[in-house]
Amino acid sequence: MALKPLNEQLTIIGCTQMIKRNQTGFTIVELAIATMVFASVLLLVTFGLLQIGKSFAKSVNEARSREAANTIVEDVSNAVRFSGGEVFALMDSPSENNKGFCVGSRRYSYAVQKRIENDGEHAFVVDTLNSGCNSSTRAQDFSALAPGSSEVLGKNMFIDSFSFNPVGTGGFHEISIRVVYGQESFLDASRQCNADDSTYCAVTELKTVVQKRIK
């Protein structure tokens, strides 16, 4: 069998070495670097998504507490301005000792620092008495609401403080309310949300003075 020329043998050897080099693939160091880069990118993306989720949750909770506080203040304000009826405090509810007040025939019953945890629980209830309020009218027990009653607060919310008092003369009344979304433990000494719990806590405080316009 005849031997191939030397230059052909060298060419075959060179091609074989190139094929072997091309089939080598990634080294362990290269794979480790690629894995670290991918893990870093994934970590940054995950952190960003978590921050977006927390910001969204905080905004929603703040909106809920603000909406509830605004609803209460606006309802009471409109009743004071336009009901034309008397404004006075009610006797506490028979068994739950809820507080309340009437503006004309509009009755407001509430419990301070009672958090709504489940459906069917109540903390600030509004209803209308067809016969109007009088000195013997009581705030409602939340376990047996009158027909047509409506709850203003939502789940995980409570009234941290509330006051409704006459101011001077001329039919002026001051309304002050603080609505909290979250748990009592989320609040610090100043009754604001702790920094660590601010994602799942929101506090809305409103105060206004309204004047009775229709007598």
Side-chain angles (χ1 to χ4, degrees):
M1 181 177 179
L3 296 175
K4 292 183 180 181
L6 180 60
N7 59 343
E8 291 184 13
Q9 295 181 28
L10 293 174
T11 301
I12 293 172
I13 294 171
C15 290
T16 303
Q17 291 176 343
M18 290 179 62
I19 292 172
K20 289 182 177 180
R21 284 198 296 269
N22 291 338
Q23 293 177 344
T24 301
F26 294 106
T27 65
I28 294 178
V29 175
E30 290 171 334
L31 289 173
I33 293 174
T35 302
M36 290 177 61
V37 171
F38 178 76
S40 299
V41 172
L42 183 61
L43 183 62
L44 289 174
V45 171
T46 303
F47 179 77
L49 291 175
L50 288 174
Q51 292 300 113
I52 293 173
K54 288 182 178 181
S55 297
F56 178 76
K58 182 175 177 62
S59 299
V60 170
N61 296 336
E62 289 176 345
R64 288 173 177 170
S65 66
R66 184 166 55 250
E67 180 182 6
N70 283 329
T71 299
I72 293 172
V73 169
E74 288 179 6
D75 193 297
V76 176
S77 297
N78 289 333
V80 171
R81 291 189 184 103
F82 307 118
S83 71
E86 294 296 324
V87 180
F88 53 87
L90 299 177
M91 300 172 64
D92 291 353
S93 62
S95 60
E96 297 177 359
N97 296 321
N98 297 329
K99 305 297 181 182
F101 60 95
C102 263
V103 181
S105 60
R106 195 79 164 157
R107 176 170 60 172
Y108 301 88
S109 307
Y110 63 94
V112 175
Q113 297 183 358
K114 179 185 177 182
R115 180 169 170 264
I116 298 177
E117 298 183 359
N118 303 299
D119 295 336
E121 295 183 351
H122 301 283
F124 197 105
V125 173
V126 184
D127 72 318
T128 300
L129 300 177
N130 294 329
S131 58
C133 296
N134 55 56
S135 58
S136 62
T137 304
R138 289 180 176 271
Q140 292 200 72
D141 279 336
F142 296 150
S143 58
L145 295 181
S149 300
S150 60
E151 172 62 57
V152 180
L153 300 186
K155 193 174 182 179
N156 296 323
M157 302 172 68
F158 65 91
I159 301 294
D160 189 49
S161 63
F162 181 83
S163 64
F164 176 64
N165 299 304
V167 179
T169 59
F172 289 94
H173 288 78
E174 181 184 75
I175 308 166
S176 178
I177 188 170
R178 183 197 296 266
V179 176
V180 176
Y181 180 95
Q183 299 180 14
E184 172 77 21
S185 59
F186 291 169
L187 302 179
D188 58 21
S190 62
R191 308 302 291 176
Q192 297 296 324
C193 296
N194 289 311
D196 295 338
D197 301 311
S198 60
T199 300
Y200 306 103
C201 175
V203 177
T204 298
E205 185 172 8
L206 297 177
K207 181 182 291 186
T208 188
V209 175
V210 295
Q211 184 180 22
K212 190 175 182 63
R213 296 182 180 178
I214 299 178
K215 299 182 180 180

